[in-house]
Amino acid sequence: MLELTMASVSGADAGATAGMLMADAPSEPGAVLRVGRDKAVCRLATPDDWLFVSRVHLEFLCGPDGTWQVTWLRGSHAEPSSEVVLTLAGLQPQPLPYGGTARLPGGGSGELVVQDRSEPRSVNVGFYHEA
């Protein structure tokens, strides 16, 4: 099972957890959870006017062996208007490249932060992957 929590945070609300959203999916091959502005395909949707987040920004996919990976999907622009940083429990934060994929450890937790490059606001997506 992969569990996600998401909070949209602007500069004035830093540290607040109001409006937190949650989603989960079983660790079955082909299971998908998406984060972005498109409510039709994303289980966790950000505010419509947060254009630094793509329609479908992050995709969590369960592979054939039950392990999860996350991909920052490339959008319609050559350069993104955000940055994504991945932090795994006990490790230093690492940038997730635009179009890049990272494997999530089984039984592990962490956070992805989608940071707007032009304003002090972010989308914080926490995850926990049950072993």
Side-chain angles (χ1 to χ4, degrees):
M1 173 84 61
L2 181 69
E3 299 171 349
L4 301 179
T5 58
M6 184 191 80
S8 301
V9 180
S10 62
D13 300 328
T17 56
M20 187 172 285
L21 302 173
M22 300 177 74
D24 60 33
S27 293
E28 297 173 354
V32 177
L33 288 169
R34 295 183 182 96
V35 177
R37 286 181 300 141
D38 188 342
K39 293 173 181 64
V41 295
C42 295
R43 292 273 304 273
L44 296 175
T46 61
D48 293 336
D49 63 340
W50 284 34
L51 300 179
F52 71 98
V53 177
S54 303
R55 283 183 352 90
V56 181
H57 203 88
L58 299 173
E59 181 177 81
F60 295 82
L61 175 66
C62 186
D65 58 355
T67 60
W68 286 87
Q69 66 181 29
V70 61
T71 301
W72 179 6
L73 300 173
R74 291 183 80 71
S76 57
H77 300 287
E79 289 295 318
S81 19
S82 64
E83 297 174 355
V84 177
V85 175
L86 170 64
T87 304
L88 298 173
L91 299 176
Q92 291 294 319
Q94 297 290 321
L96 182 63
Y98 188 42
T101 299
R103 188 177 173 140
L104 304 180
S109 63
E111 180 179 47
L112 288 127
V113 177
V114 181
Q115 180 69 49
D116 188 344
R117 287 185 168 171
S118 64
E119 292 188 42
R121 57 185 179 173
S122 65
V123 176
N124 298 14
V125 180
F127 63 86
Y128 175 69
H129 180 198
E130 291 182 2

